[in-house]
Amino acid sequence: MNLNIESGAEERGMQLQELEELRLDAYDLAMWYKEKTRMWHDKNLRKKELKVGQRVLLFQSRLKLMPGKLRSRWIGPYTIVAIRANGAVELQGSDPDSPSFMVNGHKVKPYRNGMEASVVDDIALLMPNSR
């Protein structure tokens, strides 16, 4: 009976060792996946070219409290007054007397005015003869 307990304890120790190895392998694979995903994301990032005097739209992150899921989350346009070294952007409203405020540079995108929707050639589809 003493032999059975010792062999059971040894077998349980081996099972715990295998479980620990599986956990470490899963951790390594997760780290590898995160690194690969991060590299792909960084490779496909586009750098924003912001300049002083440029008009931009501001992302409104507090829109969740307002009803209407079809409302635009971009407000503005605002004019860039200054760009800081840490990525912050100083914005001013369309009125020159309005106070300026600082926002994160990731929350703005260039404003493109004069974008016009154009109609592409209409092609009339012929209806087949019905019998």
PDB file of all heavy atoms in Angstrom, residues 1-32:
ATOM      1  N   MET A   1       0.823  -1.184   0.000  1.00  0.00           N
ATOM      2  CA  MET A   1       0.000   0.000   0.000  1.00  0.00           C
ATOM      3  C   MET A   1       0.869   1.249   0.000  1.00  0.00           C
ATOM      4  O   MET A   1       0.512   2.239  -0.621  1.00  0.00           O
ATOM      5  CB  MET A   1      -0.892  -0.017   1.222  1.00  0.00           C
ATOM      6  CG  MET A   1      -1.875   1.089   1.224  1.00  0.00           C
ATOM      7  SD  MET A   1      -3.335   0.474   2.001  1.00  0.00           S
ATOM      8  CE  MET A   1      -4.313   1.884   1.991  1.00  0.00           C
ATOM      9  N   ASN A   2       1.965   1.212   0.655  1.00  0.00           N
ATOM     10  CA  ASN A   2       2.901   2.328   0.691  1.00  0.00           C
ATOM     11  C   ASN A   2       3.451   2.595  -0.697  1.00  0.00           C
ATOM     12  O   ASN A   2       3.666   3.736  -1.078  1.00  0.00           O
ATOM     13  CB  ASN A   2       4.018   2.032   1.691  1.00  0.00           C
ATOM     14  CG  ASN A   2       4.789   3.288   2.030  1.00  0.00           C
ATOM     15  OD1 ASN A   2       4.373   4.377   1.690  1.00  0.00           O
ATOM     16  ND2 ASN A   2       5.884   3.119   2.718  1.00  0.00           N
ATOM     17  N   LEU A   3       3.686   1.552  -1.488  1.00  0.00           N
ATOM     18  CA  LEU A   3       4.210   1.668  -2.840  1.00  0.00           C
ATOM     19  C   LEU A   3       3.195   2.355  -3.753  1.00  0.00           C
ATOM     20  O   LEU A   3       3.555   3.163  -4.593  1.00  0.00           O
ATOM     21  CB  LEU A   3       4.550   0.268  -3.369  1.00  0.00           C
ATOM     22  CG  LEU A   3       5.107   0.207  -4.789  1.00  0.00           C
ATOM     23  CD1 LEU A   3       6.433   0.940  -4.866  1.00  0.00           C
ATOM     24  CD2 LEU A   3       5.274  -1.227  -5.224  1.00  0.00           C
ATOM     25  N   ASN A   4       1.932   2.053  -3.567  1.00  0.00           N
ATOM     26  CA  ASN A   4       0.875   2.629  -4.384  1.00  0.00           C
ATOM     27  C   ASN A   4       0.754   4.139  -4.149  1.00  0.00           C
ATOM     28  O   ASN A   4       0.541   4.890  -5.088  1.00  0.00           O
ATOM     29  CB  ASN A   4      -0.441   1.921  -4.084  1.00  0.00           C
ATOM     30  CG  ASN A   4      -1.466   2.155  -5.176  1.00  0.00           C
ATOM     31  OD1 ASN A   4      -1.156   2.718  -6.211  1.00  0.00           O
ATOM     32  ND2 ASN A   4      -2.669   1.699  -4.930  1.00  0.00           N
ATOM     33  N   ILE A   5       0.902   4.587  -2.921  1.00  0.00           N
ATOM     34  CA  ILE A   5       0.816   6.017  -2.594  1.00  0.00           C
ATOM     35  C   ILE A   5       2.002   6.757  -3.193  1.00  0.00           C
ATOM     36  O   ILE A   5       1.853   7.835  -3.767  1.00  0.00           O
ATOM     37  CB  ILE A   5       0.746   6.221  -1.068  1.00  0.00           C
ATOM     38  CG1 ILE A   5      -0.580   5.686  -0.520  1.00  0.00           C
ATOM     39  CG2 ILE A   5       0.909   7.690  -0.707  1.00  0.00           C
ATOM     40  CD1 ILE A   5      -0.687   5.718   0.973  1.00  0.00           C
ATOM     41  N   GLU A   6       3.204   6.170  -3.095  1.00  0.00           N
ATOM     42  CA  GLU A   6       4.392   6.825  -3.641  1.00  0.00           C
ATOM     43  C   GLU A   6       4.319   6.916  -5.167  1.00  0.00           C
ATOM     44  O   GLU A   6       4.670   7.950  -5.748  1.00  0.00           O
ATOM     45  CB  GLU A   6       5.647   6.070  -3.227  1.00  0.00           C
ATOM     46  CG  GLU A   6       5.979   6.223  -1.764  1.00  0.00           C
ATOM     47  CD  GLU A   6       7.190   5.389  -1.369  1.00  0.00           C
ATOM     48  OE1 GLU A   6       7.797   4.769  -2.271  1.00  0.00           O
ATOM     49  OE2 GLU A   6       7.502   5.384  -0.179  1.00  0.00           O
ATOM     50  N   SER A   7       3.859   5.851  -5.829  1.00  0.00           N
ATOM     51  CA  SER A   7       3.759   5.892  -7.292  1.00  0.00           C
ATOM     52  C   SER A   7       2.670   6.873  -7.728  1.00  0.00           C
ATOM     53  O   SER A   7       2.807   7.555  -8.748  1.00  0.00           O
ATOM     54  CB  SER A   7       3.497   4.501  -7.858  1.00  0.00           C
ATOM     55  OG  SER A   7       2.226   4.029  -7.444  1.00  0.00           O
ATOM     56  N   GLY A   8       1.585   6.996  -6.957  1.00  0.00           N
ATOM     57  CA  GLY A   8       0.518   7.954  -7.262  1.00  0.00           C
ATOM     58  C   GLY A   8       1.002   9.385  -7.101  1.00  0.00           C
ATOM     59  O   GLY A   8       0.677  10.259  -7.915  1.00  0.00           O
ATOM     60  N   ALA A   9       1.799   9.637  -6.051  1.00  0.00           N
ATOM     61  CA  ALA A   9       2.341  10.979  -5.838  1.00  0.00           C
ATOM     62  C   ALA A   9       3.317  11.341  -6.943  1.00  0.00           C
ATOM     63  O   ALA A   9       3.339  12.484  -7.423  1.00  0.00           O
ATOM     64  CB  ALA A   9       3.010  11.063  -4.469  1.00  0.00           C
ATOM     65  N   GLU A  10       4.133  10.357  -7.362  1.00  0.00           N
ATOM     66  CA  GLU A  10       5.093  10.615  -8.449  1.00  0.00           C
ATOM     67  C   GLU A  10       4.360  10.899  -9.759  1.00  0.00           C
ATOM     68  O   GLU A  10       4.725  11.806 -10.510  1.00  0.00           O
ATOM     69  CB  GLU A  10       6.014   9.405  -8.604  1.00  0.00           C
ATOM     70  CG  GLU A  10       7.125   9.635  -9.596  1.00  0.00           C
ATOM     71  CD  GLU A  10       8.050   8.439  -9.664  1.00  0.00           C
ATOM     72  OE1 GLU A  10       8.362   7.865  -8.604  1.00  0.00           O
ATOM     73  OE2 GLU A  10       8.437   8.102 -10.795  1.00  0.00           O
ATOM     74  N   GLU A  11       3.294  10.138 -10.029  1.00  0.00           N
ATOM     75  CA  GLU A  11       2.516  10.347 -11.249  1.00  0.00           C
ATOM     76  C   GLU A  11       1.834  11.714 -11.228  1.00  0.00           C
ATOM     77  O   GLU A  11       1.804  12.419 -12.232  1.00  0.00           O
ATOM     78  CB  GLU A  11       1.469   9.235 -11.391  1.00  0.00           C
ATOM     79  CG  GLU A  11       0.689   9.325 -12.680  1.00  0.00           C
ATOM     80  CD  GLU A  11      -0.315   8.186 -12.825  1.00  0.00           C
ATOM     81  OE1 GLU A  11      -0.127   7.134 -12.185  1.00  0.00           O
ATOM     82  OE2 GLU A  11      -1.270   8.386 -13.586  1.00  0.00           O
ATOM     83  N   ARG A  12       1.314  12.100 -10.074  1.00  0.00           N
ATOM     84  CA  ARG A  12       0.673  13.425  -9.945  1.00  0.00           C
ATOM     85  C   ARG A  12       1.695  14.542 -10.138  1.00  0.00           C
ATOM     86  O   ARG A  12       1.398  15.562 -10.765  1.00  0.00           O
ATOM     87  CB  ARG A  12       0.010  13.541  -8.565  1.00  0.00           C
ATOM     88  CG  ARG A  12      -0.707  14.832  -8.329  1.00  0.00           C
ATOM     89  CD  ARG A  12      -1.885  14.975  -9.255  1.00  0.00           C
ATOM     90  NE  ARG A  12      -2.563  16.231  -8.987  1.00  0.00           N
ATOM     91  CZ  ARG A  12      -3.293  16.882  -9.858  1.00  0.00           C
ATOM     92  NH1 ARG A  12      -3.458  16.399 -11.065  1.00  0.00           N
ATOM     93  NH2 ARG A  12      -3.875  18.008  -9.541  1.00  0.00           N
ATOM     94  N   GLY A  13       2.902  14.364  -9.633  1.00  0.00           N
ATOM     95  CA  GLY A  13       3.961  15.354  -9.831  1.00  0.00           C
ATOM     96  C   GLY A  13       4.299  15.508 -11.310  1.00  0.00           C
ATOM     97  O   GLY A  13       4.510  16.626 -11.805  1.00  0.00           O
ATOM     98  N   MET A  14       4.320  14.387 -12.063  1.00  0.00           N
ATOM     99  CA  MET A  14       4.589  14.442 -13.500  1.00  0.00           C
ATOM    100  C   MET A  14       3.456  15.157 -14.235  1.00  0.00           C
ATOM    101  O   MET A  14       3.698  15.943 -15.155  1.00  0.00           O
ATOM    102  CB  MET A  14       4.763  13.019 -14.052  1.00  0.00           C
ATOM    103  CG  MET A  14       6.013  12.313 -13.546  1.00  0.00           C
ATOM    104  SD  MET A  14       7.513  13.132 -14.089  1.00  0.00           S
ATOM    105  CE  MET A  14       7.556  12.619 -15.781  1.00  0.00           C
ATOM    106  N   GLN A  15       2.207  14.913 -13.809  1.00  0.00           N
ATOM    107  CA  GLN A  15       1.070  15.592 -14.431  1.00  0.00           C
ATOM    108  C   GLN A  15       1.137  17.107 -14.196  1.00  0.00           C
ATOM    109  O   GLN A  15       0.865  17.893 -15.104  1.00  0.00           O
ATOM    110  CB  GLN A  15      -0.244  15.037 -13.881  1.00  0.00           C
ATOM    111  CG  GLN A  15      -0.557  13.636 -14.357  1.00  0.00           C
ATOM    112  CD  GLN A  15      -1.809  13.096 -13.689  1.00  0.00           C
ATOM    113  OE1 GLN A  15      -2.319  13.658 -12.714  1.00  0.00           O
ATOM    114  NE2 GLN A  15      -2.308  11.989 -14.226  1.00  0.00           N
ATOM    115  N   LEU A  16       1.504  17.504 -12.992  1.00  0.00           N
ATOM    116  CA  LEU A  16       1.636  18.926 -12.692  1.00  0.00           C
ATOM    117  C   LEU A  16       2.759  19.557 -13.502  1.00  0.00           C
ATOM    118  O   LEU A  16       2.637  20.704 -13.966  1.00  0.00           O
ATOM    119  CB  LEU A  16       1.857  19.137 -11.192  1.00  0.00           C
ATOM    120  CG  LEU A  16       0.649  18.864 -10.297  1.00  0.00           C
ATOM    121  CD1 LEU A  16       1.042  18.984  -8.832  1.00  0.00           C
ATOM    122  CD2 LEU A  16      -0.484  19.817 -10.621  1.00  0.00           C
ATOM    123  N   GLN A  17       3.859  18.817 -13.695  1.00  0.00           N
ATOM    124  CA  GLN A  17       4.974  19.316 -14.500  1.00  0.00           C
ATOM    125  C   GLN A  17       4.539  19.504 -15.956  1.00  0.00           C
ATOM    126  O   GLN A  17       4.858  20.505 -16.585  1.00  0.00           O
ATOM    127  CB  GLN A  17       6.166  18.354 -14.406  1.00  0.00           C
ATOM    128  CG  GLN A  17       7.387  18.804 -15.162  1.00  0.00           C
ATOM    129  CD  GLN A  17       7.996  20.071 -14.592  1.00  0.00           C
ATOM    130  OE1 GLN A  17       7.865  20.377 -13.416  1.00  0.00           O
ATOM    131  NE2 GLN A  17       8.662  20.811 -15.456  1.00  0.00           N
ATOM    132  N   GLU A  18       3.790  18.542 -16.504  1.00  0.00           N
ATOM    133  CA  GLU A  18       3.294  18.655 -17.875  1.00  0.00           C
ATOM    134  C   GLU A  18       2.334  19.839 -18.004  1.00  0.00           C
ATOM    135  O   GLU A  18       2.364  20.566 -19.007  1.00  0.00           O
ATOM    136  CB  GLU A  18       2.581  17.359 -18.283  1.00  0.00           C
ATOM    137  CG  GLU A  18       3.500  16.186 -18.521  1.00  0.00           C
ATOM    138  CD  GLU A  18       2.726  14.922 -18.871  1.00  0.00           C
ATOM    139  OE1 GLU A  18       1.575  15.027 -19.344  1.00  0.00           O
ATOM    140  OE2 GLU A  18       3.282  13.832 -18.686  1.00  0.00           O
ATOM    141  N   LEU A  19       1.499  20.034 -17.004  1.00  0.00           N
ATOM    142  CA  LEU A  19       0.558  21.150 -17.019  1.00  0.00           C
ATOM    143  C   LEU A  19       1.296  22.484 -17.013  1.00  0.00           C
ATOM    144  O   LEU A  19       0.936  23.419 -17.739  1.00  0.00           O
ATOM    145  CB  LEU A  19      -0.384  21.052 -15.814  1.00  0.00           C
ATOM    146  CG  LEU A  19      -1.520  22.056 -15.757  1.00  0.00           C
ATOM    147  CD1 LEU A  19      -2.454  21.869 -16.941  1.00  0.00           C
ATOM    148  CD2 LEU A  19      -2.281  21.906 -14.454  1.00  0.00           C
ATOM    149  N   GLU A  20       2.348  22.575 -16.227  1.00  0.00           N
ATOM    150  CA  GLU A  20       3.159  23.796 -16.168  1.00  0.00           C
ATOM    151  C   GLU A  20       3.844  24.052 -17.513  1.00  0.00           C
ATOM    152  O   GLU A  20       3.897  25.196 -17.983  1.00  0.00           O
ATOM    153  CB  GLU A  20       4.196  23.677 -15.052  1.00  0.00           C
ATOM    154  CG  GLU A  20       5.049  24.906 -14.850  1.00  0.00           C
ATOM    155  CD  GLU A  20       4.271  26.088 -14.323  1.00  0.00           C
ATOM    156  OE1 GLU A  20       3.166  25.922 -13.789  1.00  0.00           O
ATOM    157  OE2 GLU A  20       4.787  27.220 -14.466  1.00  0.00           O
ATOM    158  N   GLU A  21       4.344  22.995 -18.168  1.00  0.00           N
ATOM    159  CA  GLU A  21       4.961  23.151 -19.484  1.00  0.00           C
ATOM    160  C   GLU A  21       3.946  23.611 -20.525  1.00  0.00           C
ATOM    161  O   GLU A  21       4.240  24.476 -21.359  1.00  0.00           O
ATOM    162  CB  GLU A  21       5.614  21.841 -19.917  1.00  0.00           C
ATOM    163  CG  GLU A  21       6.873  21.507 -19.134  1.00  0.00           C
ATOM    164  CD  GLU A  21       7.437  20.145 -19.517  1.00  0.00           C
ATOM    165  OE1 GLU A  21       6.969  19.557 -20.526  1.00  0.00           O
ATOM    166  OE2 GLU A  21       8.344  19.680 -18.805  1.00  0.00           O
ATOM    167  N   LEU A  22       2.728  23.074 -20.485  1.00  0.00           N
ATOM    168  CA  LEU A  22       1.670  23.509 -21.402  1.00  0.00           C
ATOM    169  C   LEU A  22       1.319  24.977 -21.178  1.00  0.00           C
ATOM    170  O   LEU A  22       1.100  25.735 -22.132  1.00  0.00           O
ATOM    171  CB  LEU A  22       0.430  22.641 -21.235  1.00  0.00           C
ATOM    172  CG  LEU A  22       0.498  21.232 -21.804  1.00  0.00           C
ATOM    173  CD1 LEU A  22      -0.749  20.449 -21.421  1.00  0.00           C
ATOM    174  CD2 LEU A  22       0.640  21.286 -23.313  1.00  0.00           C
ATOM    175  N   ARG A  23       1.266  25.391 -19.924  1.00  0.00           N
ATOM    176  CA  ARG A  23       0.952  26.778 -19.597  1.00  0.00           C
ATOM    177  C   ARG A  23       2.033  27.716 -20.121  1.00  0.00           C
ATOM    178  O   ARG A  23       1.746  28.758 -20.706  1.00  0.00           O
ATOM    179  CB  ARG A  23       0.799  26.955 -18.087  1.00  0.00           C
ATOM    180  CG  ARG A  23       0.287  28.325 -17.673  1.00  0.00           C
ATOM    181  CD  ARG A  23       0.336  28.515 -16.179  1.00  0.00           C
ATOM    182  NE  ARG A  23       1.695  28.569 -15.657  1.00  0.00           N
ATOM    183  CZ  ARG A  23       2.495  29.644 -15.743  1.00  0.00           C
ATOM    184  NH1 ARG A  23       2.090  30.725 -16.335  1.00  0.00           N
ATOM    185  NH2 ARG A  23       3.709  29.609 -15.243  1.00  0.00           N
ATOM    186  N   LEU A  24       3.303  27.325 -19.949  1.00  0.00           N
ATOM    187  CA  LEU A  24       4.409  28.154 -20.448  1.00  0.00           C
ATOM    188  C   LEU A  24       4.406  28.226 -21.972  1.00  0.00           C
ATOM    189  O   LEU A  24       4.677  29.285 -22.553  1.00  0.00           O
ATOM    190  CB  LEU A  24       5.735  27.615 -19.933  1.00  0.00           C
ATOM    191  CG  LEU A  24       6.011  27.823 -18.441  1.00  0.00           C
ATOM    192  CD1 LEU A  24       7.291  27.122 -18.033  1.00  0.00           C
ATOM    193  CD2 LEU A  24       6.078  29.302 -18.119  1.00  0.00           C
ATOM    194  N   ASP A  25       4.096  27.112 -22.642  1.00  0.00           N
ATOM    195  CA  ASP A  25       4.005  27.120 -24.099  1.00  0.00           C
ATOM    196  C   ASP A  25       2.878  28.042 -24.563  1.00  0.00           C
ATOM    197  O   ASP A  25       3.038  28.805 -25.531  1.00  0.00           O
ATOM    198  CB  ASP A  25       3.770  25.707 -24.638  1.00  0.00           C
ATOM    199  CG  ASP A  25       5.003  24.834 -24.545  1.00  0.00           C
ATOM    200  OD1 ASP A  25       6.109  25.385 -24.352  1.00  0.00           O
ATOM    201  OD2 ASP A  25       4.849  23.597 -24.659  1.00  0.00           O
ATOM    202  N   ALA A  26       1.730  27.991 -23.892  1.00  0.00           N
ATOM    203  CA  ALA A  26       0.613  28.858 -24.256  1.00  0.00           C
ATOM    204  C   ALA A  26       0.983  30.322 -24.042  1.00  0.00           C
ATOM    205  O   ALA A  26       0.634  31.190 -24.857  1.00  0.00           O
ATOM    206  CB  ALA A  26      -0.626  28.500 -23.435  1.00  0.00           C
ATOM    207  N   TYR A  27       1.702  30.621 -22.979  1.00  0.00           N
ATOM    208  CA  TYR A  27       2.143  31.988 -22.707  1.00  0.00           C
ATOM    209  C   TYR A  27       3.090  32.470 -23.802  1.00  0.00           C
ATOM    210  O   TYR A  27       2.961  33.593 -24.310  1.00  0.00           O
ATOM    211  CB  TYR A  27       2.828  32.042 -21.341  1.00  0.00           C
ATOM    212  CG  TYR A  27       3.330  33.413 -20.967  1.00  0.00           C
ATOM    213  CD1 TYR A  27       2.457  34.389 -20.516  1.00  0.00           C
ATOM    214  CD2 TYR A  27       4.679  33.725 -21.076  1.00  0.00           C
ATOM    215  CE1 TYR A  27       2.911  35.654 -20.175  1.00  0.00           C
ATOM    216  CE2 TYR A  27       5.152  34.977 -20.745  1.00  0.00           C
ATOM    217  CZ  TYR A  27       4.259  35.943 -20.285  1.00  0.00           C
ATOM    218  OH  TYR A  27       4.712  37.188 -19.962  1.00  0.00           O
ATOM    219  N   ASP A  28       4.041  31.612 -24.212  1.00  0.00           N
ATOM    220  CA  ASP A  28       4.975  31.982 -25.274  1.00  0.00           C
ATOM    221  C   ASP A  28       4.248  32.222 -26.599  1.00  0.00           C
ATOM    222  O   ASP A  28       4.555  33.171 -27.317  1.00  0.00           O
ATOM    223  CB  ASP A  28       6.035  30.894 -25.464  1.00  0.00           C
ATOM    224  CG  ASP A  28       7.031  30.845 -24.314  1.00  0.00           C
ATOM    225  OD1 ASP A  28       7.124  31.838 -23.574  1.00  0.00           O
ATOM    226  OD2 ASP A  28       7.700  29.800 -24.167  1.00  0.00           O
ATOM    227  N   LEU A  29       3.270  31.369 -26.924  1.00  0.00           N
ATOM    228  CA  LEU A  29       2.521  31.542 -28.158  1.00  0.00           C
ATOM    229  C   LEU A  29       1.688  32.828 -28.128  1.00  0.00           C
ATOM    230  O   LEU A  29       1.578  33.519 -29.143  1.00  0.00           O
ATOM    231  CB  LEU A  29       1.621  30.335 -28.406  1.00  0.00           C
ATOM    232  CG  LEU A  29       2.333  29.053 -28.832  1.00  0.00           C
ATOM    233  CD1 LEU A  29       1.344  27.902 -28.932  1.00  0.00           C
ATOM    234  CD2 LEU A  29       3.045  29.250 -30.152  1.00  0.00           C
ATOM    235  N   ALA A  30       1.117  33.149 -26.982  1.00  0.00           N
ATOM    236  CA  ALA A  30       0.339  34.390 -26.865  1.00  0.00           C
ATOM    237  C   ALA A  30       1.236  35.607 -27.037  1.00  0.00           C
ATOM    238  O   ALA A  30       0.866  36.571 -27.721  1.00  0.00           O
ATOM    239  CB  ALA A  30      -0.380  34.438 -25.518  1.00  0.00           C
ATOM    240  N   MET A  31       2.427  35.570 -26.448  1.00  0.00           N
ATOM    241  CA  MET A  31       3.369  36.688 -26.605  1.00  0.00           C
ATOM    242  C   MET A  31       3.812  36.821 -28.056  1.00  0.00           C
ATOM    243  O   MET A  31       3.913  37.930 -28.590  1.00  0.00           O
ATOM    244  CB  MET A  31       4.582  36.500 -25.686  1.00  0.00           C
ATOM    245  CG  MET A  31       4.254  36.625 -24.213  1.00  0.00           C
ATOM    246  SD  MET A  31       3.568  38.227 -23.774  1.00  0.00           S
ATOM    247  CE  MET A  31       5.009  39.242 -23.967  1.00  0.00           C
ATOM    248  N   TRP A  32       4.067  35.707 -28.725  1.00  0.00           N
ATOM    249  CA  TRP A  32       4.463  35.727 -30.129  1.00  0.00           C
ATOM    250  C   TRP A  32       3.346  36.305 -30.989  1.00  0.00           C
ATOM    251  O   TRP A  32       3.581  37.126 -31.878  1.00  0.00           O
ATOM    252  CB  TRP A  32       4.809  34.309 -30.572  1.00  0.00           C
ATOM    253  CG  TRP A  32       5.167  34.213 -32.017  1.00  0.00           C
ATOM    254  CD1 TRP A  32       6.352  34.546 -32.585  1.00  0.00           C
ATOM    255  CD2 TRP A  32       4.322  33.760 -33.072  1.00  0.00           C
ATOM    256  NE1 TRP A  32       6.295  34.326 -33.940  1.00  0.00           N
ATOM    257  CE2 TRP A  32       5.058  33.847 -34.260  1.00  0.00           C
ATOM    258  CE3 TRP A  32       3.013  33.300 -33.121  1.00  0.00           C
ATOM    259  CZ2 TRP A  32       4.524  33.493 -35.497  1.00  0.00           C
ATOM    260  CZ3 TRP A  32       2.489  32.947 -34.348  1.00  0.00           C
ATOM    261  CH2 TRP A  32       3.244  33.041 -35.504  1.00  0.00           C
TER     262      TRP A  32
END
